[in-house]
Amino acid sequence: MIKELNQKTNEELCNLIVRLKLQLLESRFKMASGELEKTHKIREIRRTIAQAFTVLNSRGIDLTVGTHGITMYDRKNNTVKSINDVVSDSLDAKDETAKSKKSTKTVGQGVAESTVAASKLDKANDSAQATNFAKANANVSNQKLVQKKKTNVETKRKVIGA
């Protein structure tokens, strides 16, 4: 398997890792709901992900896959590359092929697809939501400070007797 992974480009390996992580998520949902019959697939998926990360590491590439996006850091050239577009294009192509096939969806598949859709929506709305959240927190913090100052002034008045 590692020989096959060594022949792939960095972007192909990143796409593979993202797809496998999504499969792992779907498998975990299926296992939790009791729909997964071949439980050994989870181990195989995890092993393939680890092997792909090993190949990238041997090439001097660090891959970060998280909610913020996907970035590749090349240790040799000291460059950072965001590959969200490449991965999202491949996932969109996969989604279109899945939509063309008529099949029934399990609960786990629906949850996994909604998770992917939610992460895409989060990326789009992240900055706007972060701004709104910061404003709301600032307003709450300011209100608490004002209330605290009022209670301090009131207690001082009571102590003084004014």
Side-chain angles (χ1 to χ4, degrees):
M1 183 69 179
I2 290 187
K3 290 180 183 179
E4 296 169 7
L5 294 175
N6 275 326
Q7 295 172 354
K8 295 187 177 196
T9 66
N10 295 338
E11 286 80 13
E12 290 173 341
L13 285 172
C14 293
N15 287 337
L16 177 69
I17 289 171
V18 170
R19 280 190 282 116
L20 288 174
K21 283 190 174 247
L22 287 174
Q23 282 182 356
L24 187 61
L25 179 69
E26 291 173 6
S27 297
R28 286 181 180 156
F29 280 117
K30 286 181 183 178
M31 180 177 258
S33 64
E35 296 175 10
L36 187 64
E37 295 177 7
K38 299 178 182 179
T39 56
H40 67 280
K41 291 291 183 184
I42 291 177
R43 183 177 179 194
E44 291 175 2
I45 292 170
R46 285 194 348 242
R47 180 176 286 161
T48 306
I49 290 171
Q51 289 172 343
F53 271 115
T54 302
V55 170
L56 284 174
N57 191 27
S58 69
R59 294 179 185 176
I61 304 290
D62 289 330
L63 180 69
T64 306
V65 179
T67 57
H68 61 280
I70 303 165
T71 55
M72 278 191 335
Y73 174 68
D74 188 356
R75 292 188 304 255
K76 294 177 183 174
N77 299 329
N78 202 19
T79 58
V80 177
K81 181 179 178 185
S82 177
I83 58 167
N84 295 330
D85 299 332
V86 175
V87 172
S88 64
D89 289 343
S90 70
L91 289 176
D92 290 340
K94 180 184 172 189
D95 289 342
E96 288 177 11
T97 57
K99 287 178 184 177
S100 65
K101 295 179 183 177
K102 293 183 180 178
S103 64
T104 58
K105 292 181 183 176
T106 62
V107 174
Q109 289 171 335
V111 171
E113 288 177 5
S114 65
T115 305
V116 172
S119 67
K120 288 182 181 179
L121 181 64
D122 285 346
K123 289 176 189 174
N125 295 332
D126 226 7
S127 60
Q129 287 177 353
T131 304
N132 292 339
F133 183 73
K135 287 179 183 178
N137 280 345
N139 288 338
V140 169
S141 299
N142 288 340
Q143 289 173 356
K144 286 181 180 179
L145 286 174
V146 168
Q147 185 64 31
K148 201 175 208 182
K149 286 181 182 180
K150 285 182 181 178
T151 55
N152 286 344
V153 169
E154 289 173 1
T155 54
K156 287 180 183 177
R157 286 182 184 166
K158 288 180 183 177
V159 170
I160 295 174

